[in-house]
Amino acid sequence: MPTSNPAYDPNNVFAKILRGEIPAERVCDSKHAFAFYDISPLAPIHVLVIPRGAYTDLHDFISRASNEEILDFWKLVDKISAEQSLIPSGFRMVSNSGPDSGQEVPHFHVHLLGGRPLGPVLSSQKG
């Protein structure tokens, strides 16, 4: 599992959760990923899925992670979607990447949101 990434901040909140320094309400986990409930949910179901490796964003994850890590991560996302009963009514999967997206934690992660109608993805603001 690659861990050397000079752009990665090993003191980000998700790294601390993975090390057990900050508690998180576990949903489930796998060899290469961990899922937990968001502490400030934006929907009735709001789960975060993070890889165990030190990846800053989706591009970093896809570029540097092993095929086993990538498959394991996305299989866990699918498993959670099914176990949280998100598939029948639909859900939103969000992953911000970089400053223009509003990414707050520099550790690749996916938000799974559902449990109610979520409305449009973005406002109609232009500019």
Side-chain angles (χ1 to χ4, degrees):
M1 177 185 330
T3 56
S4 178
N5 179 353
Y8 183 80
D9 175 7
N11 291 312
N12 75 68
V13 66
F14 294 163
K16 290 179 178 183
I17 287 170
L18 287 169
R19 291 193 300 263
E21 296 169 10
I22 296 175
E25 186 180 353
R26 179 189 169 278
V27 173
C28 62
D29 62 323
S30 64
K31 181 177 179 182
H32 297 289
F34 180 69
F36 55 97
Y37 290 105
D38 194 294
I39 61 168
S40 299
L42 300 175
I45 299 169
H46 188 165
V47 176
L48 291 162
V49 186
I50 61 176
R52 294 185 184 277
Y55 305 106
T56 56
D57 55 31
L58 176 63
H59 176 73
D60 185 35
F61 180 62
I62 297 300
S63 298
R64 295 187 324 101
S66 69
N67 288 341
E68 180 184 356
E69 288 173 282
I70 294 167
L71 181 61
D72 180 79
F73 179 86
W74 292 112
K75 289 280 193 179
L76 188 65
V77 168
D78 184 63
K79 177 183 176 182
I80 294 161
S81 301
E83 288 179 352
Q84 296 285 319
S85 300
L86 294 172
I87 294 171
S89 60
F91 62 96
R92 181 165 296 147
M93 182 172 53
V94 177
S95 181
N96 296 318
S97 185
D100 282 356
S101 73
Q103 182 179 6
E104 295 177 7
V105 180
H107 184 112
F108 172 57
H109 58 286
V110 169
H111 297 259
L112 293 175
L113 302 136
R116 69 167 170 81
L118 298 172
V121 176
L122 296 171
S123 69
S124 59
Q125 289 180 333
K126 294 182 182 180

Coordinates of all heavy atoms in Angstrom, one line a residue, residues 6-64:
P6 N 4.1 13.3 -0.8 CA 4.5 14.6 -0.2 C 3.3 15.6 -0.1 O 3.4 16.5 0.8 CB 5.6 15.1 -1.1 CG 5.6 14.3 -2.3 CD 4.8 13.0 -2.0
A7 N 2.3 15.5 -0.9 CA 1.2 16.4 -0.8 C 0.2 16.0 0.3 O -0.7 16.8 0.6 CB 0.5 16.5 -2.2
Y8 N 0.3 14.8 0.8 CA -0.7 14.3 1.8 C -0.3 14.8 3.2 O 0.8 14.8 3.6 CB -0.6 12.8 1.8 CG -1.7 12.2 2.7 CD1 -3.0 12.1 2.3 CD2 -1.3 11.7 3.9 CE1 -3.9 11.5 3.2 CE2 -2.2 11.1 4.8 CZ -3.5 11.0 4.4 OH -4.4 10.5 5.2
D9 N -1.3 15.3 3.9 CA -1.1 15.8 5.3 C -1.5 14.6 6.2 O -2.7 14.3 6.4 CB -2.0 17.0 5.6 CG -1.9 17.5 7.0 OD1 -1.1 16.9 7.8 OD2 -2.7 18.3 7.4
P10 N -0.5 14.0 6.9 CA -0.8 12.9 7.7 C -1.5 13.3 9.0 O -1.9 12.4 9.8 CB 0.6 12.3 8.0 CG 1.5 13.4 7.9 CD 0.9 14.3 6.8
N11 N -1.8 14.6 9.2 CA -2.5 15.0 10.4 C -3.9 15.5 10.1 O -4.6 16.1 10.9 CB -1.7 16.1 11.1 CG -0.5 15.6 11.8 OD1 -0.5 14.5 12.5 ND2 0.6 16.2 11.5
N12 N -4.4 15.1 8.8 CA -5.8 15.5 8.5 C -6.7 14.6 9.3 O -6.4 13.6 9.9 CB -6.0 15.4 7.0 CG -6.2 14.0 6.5 OD1 -7.1 13.2 6.8 ND2 -5.2 13.5 5.7
V13 N -8.0 15.1 9.5 CA -8.9 14.5 10.4 C -9.2 13.0 10.0 O -9.3 12.1 10.9 CB -10.3 15.3 10.4 CG1 -11.0 15.3 9.1 CG2 -11.2 14.8 11.5
F14 N -9.2 12.6 8.7 CA -9.5 11.3 8.3 C -8.3 10.4 8.7 O -8.4 9.2 9.1 CB -9.8 11.1 6.8 CG -11.1 11.8 6.5 CD1 -11.5 12.1 5.2 CD2 -12.1 12.1 7.5 CE1 -12.7 12.7 4.9 CE2 -13.3 12.7 7.2 CZ -13.6 13.0 5.8
A15 N -7.1 10.9 8.5 CA -5.9 10.1 8.9 C -5.9 9.8 10.4 O -5.6 8.7 10.9 CB -4.6 10.9 8.6
K16 N -6.4 10.8 11.2 CA -6.5 10.6 12.6 C -7.6 9.6 13.0 O -7.5 8.9 13.9 CB -6.8 12.0 13.3 CG -5.6 12.9 13.3 CD -5.9 14.2 14.0 CE -4.6 15.1 13.9 NZ -4.9 16.4 14.6
I17 N -8.7 9.6 12.2 CA -9.8 8.6 12.4 C -9.2 7.2 12.1 O -9.4 6.3 12.9 CB -11.0 9.0 11.6 CG1 -11.7 10.2 12.1 CG2 -11.9 7.7 11.4 CD1 -12.8 10.7 11.3
L18 N -8.5 7.1 11.0 CA -7.9 5.8 10.7 C -6.9 5.3 11.8 O -6.9 4.1 12.0 CB -7.2 5.8 9.3 CG -8.1 5.9 8.1 CD1 -7.3 6.3 6.9 CD2 -8.9 4.6 8.0
R19 N -6.2 6.2 12.4 CA -5.3 5.8 13.5 C -6.0 5.6 14.8 O -5.3 5.3 15.8 CB -4.2 6.9 13.6 CG -3.2 6.9 12.5 CD -2.0 7.8 12.8 NE -2.2 9.1 13.1 CZ -2.2 10.2 12.2 NH1 -1.9 9.9 11.0 NH2 -2.5 11.4 12.6
G20 N -7.3 5.9 14.9 CA -8.0 5.8 16.2 C -7.8 7.0 17.1 O -8.2 6.9 18.3
E21 N -7.3 8.1 16.6 CA -7.0 9.2 17.5 C -8.3 10.1 17.6 O -8.4 10.8 18.6 CB -5.9 10.1 16.9 CG -4.6 9.4 16.9 CD -3.5 10.2 16.1 OE1 -3.8 11.3 15.7 OE2 -2.5 9.6 15.8
I22 N -9.2 10.0 16.7 CA -10.5 10.6 16.7 C -11.6 9.5 16.5 O -11.5 8.7 15.6 CB -10.6 11.7 15.6 CG1 -9.6 12.8 15.8 CG2 -12.0 12.3 15.5 CD1 -9.6 13.8 14.7
P23 N -12.6 9.5 17.4 CA -13.6 8.5 17.2 C -14.5 8.7 16.0 O -14.7 9.9 15.6 CB -14.4 8.6 18.5 CG -14.2 10.0 19.0 CD -12.8 10.4 18.5
A24 N -15.0 7.7 15.5 CA -16.0 7.8 14.4 C -17.0 6.6 14.5 O -16.6 5.5 15.0 CB -15.3 7.7 13.0
E25 N -18.2 6.9 14.2 CA -19.2 5.8 14.2 C -19.1 4.9 13.0 O -19.6 5.3 11.9 CB -20.6 6.4 14.4 CG -21.7 5.4 14.6 CD -23.1 5.9 14.7 OE1 -23.2 7.2 14.8 OE2 -24.0 5.1 14.8
R26 N -18.5 3.8 13.2 CA -18.3 2.9 12.1 C -19.6 2.4 11.4 O -20.5 2.0 12.1 CB -17.5 1.7 12.6 CG -17.1 0.6 11.6 CD -16.5 -0.6 12.3 NE -16.4 -1.7 11.4 CZ -17.4 -2.6 11.1 NH1 -18.6 -2.4 11.6 NH2 -17.2 -3.6 10.3
V27 N -19.6 2.3 10.1 CA -20.6 1.7 9.3 C -20.1 0.3 8.9 O -20.8 -0.7 9.2 CB -21.0 2.5 8.1 CG1 -22.0 1.8 7.2 CG2 -21.6 3.9 8.5
C28 N -19.0 0.2 8.3 CA -18.4 -1.1 8.0 C -17.0 -0.7 7.5 O -16.6 0.4 7.2 CB -19.2 -1.9 7.0 SG -19.4 -1.2 5.4
D29 N -16.2 -1.8 7.3 CA -14.8 -1.6 6.8 C -14.4 -2.8 6.0 O -15.0 -3.8 6.0 CB -13.9 -1.2 7.9 CG -13.7 -2.2 8.9 OD1 -14.7 -2.9 9.3 OD2 -12.6 -2.4 9.4
S30 N -13.2 -2.7 5.3 CA -12.7 -3.7 4.6 C -11.2 -3.6 4.7 O -10.6 -2.8 5.4 CB -13.1 -3.6 3.1 OG -12.6 -2.4 2.6
K31 N -10.5 -4.5 4.0 CA -9.0 -4.5 4.1 C -8.4 -3.1 3.7 O -7.4 -2.7 4.3 CB -8.4 -5.5 3.2 CG -6.9 -5.7 3.2 CD -6.4 -6.8 2.3 CE -4.9 -6.9 2.3 NZ -4.5 -8.0 1.4
H32 N -9.0 -2.4 2.7 CA -8.4 -1.2 2.2 C -9.3 0.1 2.4 O -8.9 1.1 1.9 CB -8.1 -1.3 0.7 CG -7.1 -2.4 0.5 ND1 -5.7 -2.3 0.8 CD2 -7.2 -3.6 -0.1 CE1 -5.1 -3.4 0.4 NE2 -6.0 -4.2 -0.1
A33 N -10.4 -0.1 3.1 CA -11.3 1.1 3.2 C -12.1 1.1 4.5 O -12.2 0.0 5.2 CB -12.3 1.1 2.0
F34 N -12.6 2.2 4.9 CA -13.3 2.4 6.2 C -14.5 3.3 5.9 O -14.3 4.3 5.2 CB -12.4 3.0 7.2 CG -13.0 3.2 8.6 CD1 -13.4 2.1 9.3 CD2 -13.2 4.4 9.1 CE1 -14.0 2.3 10.6 CE2 -13.8 4.6 10.3 CZ -14.2 3.5 11.1
A35 N -15.6 3.0 6.4 CA -16.8 3.8 6.3 C -17.4 4.2 7.6 O -17.5 3.3 8.5 CB -17.9 3.1 5.4
F36 N -17.9 5.4 7.7 CA -18.4 5.9 9.0 C -19.4 7.0 8.7 O -19.5 7.6 7.6 CB -17.3 6.4 9.9 CG -16.4 7.5 9.3 CD1 -16.7 8.8 9.5 CD2 -15.4 7.1 8.5 CE1 -15.9 9.8 9.0 CE2 -14.6 8.1 7.9 CZ -14.8 9.5 8.1
Y37 N -20.3 7.2 9.7 CA -21.3 8.2 9.6 C -20.7 9.6 9.7 O -19.9 9.9 10.6 CB -22.4 8.1 10.6 CG -23.3 6.8 10.4 CD1 -23.1 5.7 11.1 CD2 -24.2 6.8 9.3 CE1 -23.9 4.6 10.9 CE2 -25.0 5.7 9.1 CZ -24.8 4.6 9.9 OH -25.6 3.5 9.6
D38 N -21.2 10.6 8.9 CA -20.7 12.0 8.9 C -21.3 12.6 10.3 O -22.4 12.3 10.6 CB -21.3 12.7 7.7 CG -20.6 14.1 7.6 OD1 -20.8 15.0 8.4 OD2 -19.9 14.3 6.6
I39 N -20.4 13.3 10.9 CA -20.9 13.9 12.2 C -21.8 15.1 12.0 O -22.5 15.5 13.0 CB -19.7 14.3 13.1 CG1 -18.8 15.4 12.4 CG2 -18.9 13.1 13.5 CD1 -17.8 16.0 13.3
S40 N -21.9 15.7 10.8 CA -22.8 16.7 10.5 C -23.6 16.3 9.2 O -23.3 16.9 8.1 CB -22.0 18.0 10.2 OG -21.4 18.4 11.4
P41 N -24.5 15.4 9.3 CA -25.1 14.8 8.1 C -26.0 15.9 7.4 O -26.6 16.7 8.0 CB -26.0 13.7 8.7 CG -26.2 14.0 10.2 CD -25.0 14.8 10.6
L42 N -25.9 15.8 6.1 CA -26.7 16.6 5.2 C -27.9 15.9 4.6 O -28.6 16.5 3.9 CB -25.8 17.1 4.0 CG -24.5 17.9 4.4 CD1 -23.7 18.2 3.2 CD2 -24.9 19.2 5.2
A43 N -28.1 14.7 5.0 CA -29.3 13.9 4.6 C -29.5 12.8 5.7 O -28.6 12.6 6.5 CB -29.0 13.2 3.3
P44 N -30.7 12.2 5.7 CA -30.9 11.2 6.7 C -29.9 10.1 6.8 O -29.5 9.6 7.8 CB -32.3 10.6 6.4 CG -33.0 11.8 5.7 CD -31.9 12.5 4.9
I45 N -29.3 9.7 5.6 CA -28.2 8.8 5.5 C -27.1 9.6 4.9 O -27.2 10.1 3.8 CB -28.6 7.6 4.7 CG1 -29.7 6.8 5.3 CG2 -27.3 6.7 4.5 CD1 -30.3 5.7 4.4
H46 N -26.0 9.7 5.7 CA -24.8 10.4 5.2 C -23.6 9.6 5.7 O -23.2 9.7 6.8 CB -24.7 11.8 5.7 CG -23.7 12.6 5.0 ND1 -23.6 14.0 5.1 CD2 -22.5 12.3 4.3 CE1 -22.6 14.5 4.5 NE2 -21.9 13.5 4.0
V47 N -23.0 8.8 4.8 CA -21.9 8.0 5.1 C -20.6 8.4 4.3 O -20.7 8.8 3.2 CB -22.2 6.5 4.8 CG1 -21.0 5.6 5.0 CG2 -23.4 6.0 5.6
L48 N -19.5 8.4 5.0 CA -18.2 8.7 4.4 C -17.5 7.4 4.2 O -17.4 6.6 5.1 CB -17.4 9.7 5.2 CG -18.0 11.1 5.3 CD1 -17.4 11.8 6.5 CD2 -17.7 11.9 4.1
V49 N -16.9 7.3 3.0 CA -16.0 6.1 2.7 C -14.7 6.6 2.4 O -14.5 7.5 1.5 CB -16.6 5.3 1.6 CG1 -15.8 4.0 1.4 CG2 -18.1 4.9 1.8
I50 N -13.6 6.1 3.1 CA -12.3 6.6 2.8 C -11.4 5.4 2.6 O -11.5 4.3 3.2 CB -11.8 7.4 4.0 CG1 -11.7 6.6 5.3 CG2 -12.6 8.7 4.2 CD1 -11.2 7.4 6.5
P51 N -10.4 5.5 1.8 CA -9.3 4.5 1.7 C -8.4 4.5 2.9 O -8.2 5.6 3.5 CB -8.6 4.8 0.4 CG -8.8 6.3 0.2 CD -10.1 6.6 0.8
R52 N -7.8 3.4 3.2 CA -6.9 3.4 4.3 C -5.5 4.0 3.9 O -4.8 4.4 4.8 CB -6.7 2.0 4.8 CG -8.0 1.4 5.5 CD -7.7 0.0 6.1 NE -9.0 -0.5 6.6 CZ -9.5 -0.3 7.8 NH1 -8.9 0.6 8.6 NH2 -10.6 -0.8 8.1
G53 N -5.2 4.1 2.6 CA -4.0 4.6 2.2 C -4.0 6.1 2.1 O -5.1 6.8 2.2
A54 N -2.8 6.7 2.0 CA -2.6 8.2 2.0 C -2.8 8.8 0.6 O -1.9 9.0 -0.1 CB -1.3 8.5 2.6
Y55 N -4.1 9.0 0.2 CA -4.4 9.6 -1.1 C -5.1 10.9 -0.9 O -6.1 11.0 -0.1 CB -5.3 8.6 -1.9 CG -4.6 7.2 -2.0 CD1 -5.1 6.1 -1.3 CD2 -3.5 7.1 -2.8 CE1 -4.4 4.9 -1.4 CE2 -2.9 5.8 -2.9 CZ -3.4 4.8 -2.2 OH -2.7 3.5 -2.3
T56 N -4.7 11.9 -1.6 CA -5.3 13.2 -1.4 C -6.7 13.4 -2.1 O -7.5 14.1 -1.6 CB -4.4 14.3 -1.9 OG1 -4.1 14.1 -3.3 CG2 -3.1 14.4 -1.1
D57 N -6.9 12.8 -3.3 CA -8.1 13.0 -4.1 C -8.3 11.8 -5.0 O -7.4 10.9 -5.0 CB -8.1 14.3 -4.8 CG -6.8 14.5 -5.7 OD1 -6.3 13.5 -6.2 OD2 -6.4 15.6 -5.9
L58 N -9.3 11.9 -5.8 CA -9.6 10.8 -6.7 C -8.5 10.5 -7.7 O -8.1 9.3 -7.9 CB -10.9 11.0 -7.5 CG -11.3 10.0 -8.6 CD1 -11.6 8.6 -7.9 CD2 -12.5 10.4 -9.4
H59 N -7.9 11.5 -8.3 CA -6.8 11.3 -9.2 C -5.6 10.6 -8.6 O -5.0 9.7 -9.1 CB -6.4 12.6 -9.9 CG -5.2 12.5 -10.8 ND1 -5.3 11.9 -12.0 CD2 -3.9 12.8 -10.6 CE1 -4.1 11.9 -12.6 NE2 -3.3 12.5 -11.7
D60 N -5.3 11.1 -7.4 CA -4.2 10.5 -6.7 C -4.5 9.0 -6.4 O -3.6 8.2 -6.5 CB -3.9 11.3 -5.4 CG -2.7 10.8 -4.6 OD1 -1.7 10.4 -5.2 OD2 -2.8 10.9 -3.3
F61 N -5.7 8.8 -5.9 CA -6.1 7.4 -5.6 C -6.0 6.5 -6.8 O -5.4 5.4 -6.8 CB -7.5 7.4 -5.1 CG -8.1 6.1 -4.7 CD1 -7.5 5.3 -3.7 CD2 -9.2 5.6 -5.3 CE1 -8.0 4.0 -3.3 CE2 -9.7 4.3 -5.0 CZ -9.1 3.6 -4.0
I62 N -6.6 6.9 -7.9 CA -6.6 6.1 -9.2 C -5.2 5.9 -9.7 O -4.8 4.9 -10.2 CB -7.5 6.7 -10.2 CG1 -9.0 6.6 -9.7 CG2 -7.4 5.9 -11.5 CD1 -9.5 5.3 -9.4
S63 N -4.3 7.0 -9.6 CA -3.0 7.0 -10.1 C -2.0 6.1 -9.3 O -1.1 5.4 -9.9 CB -2.4 8.4 -10.2 OG -3.1 9.2 -11.0
R64 N -2.2 6.1 -8.0 CA -1.2 5.4 -7.2 C -1.7 4.2 -6.4 O -0.8 3.3 -6.0 CB -0.7 6.4 -6.1 CG 0.1 7.6 -6.7 CD 0.8 8.5 -5.7 NE 0.1 8.7 -4.5 CZ 0.4 8.1 -3.3 NH1 1.4 7.3 -3.2 NH2 -0.3 8.4 -2.2

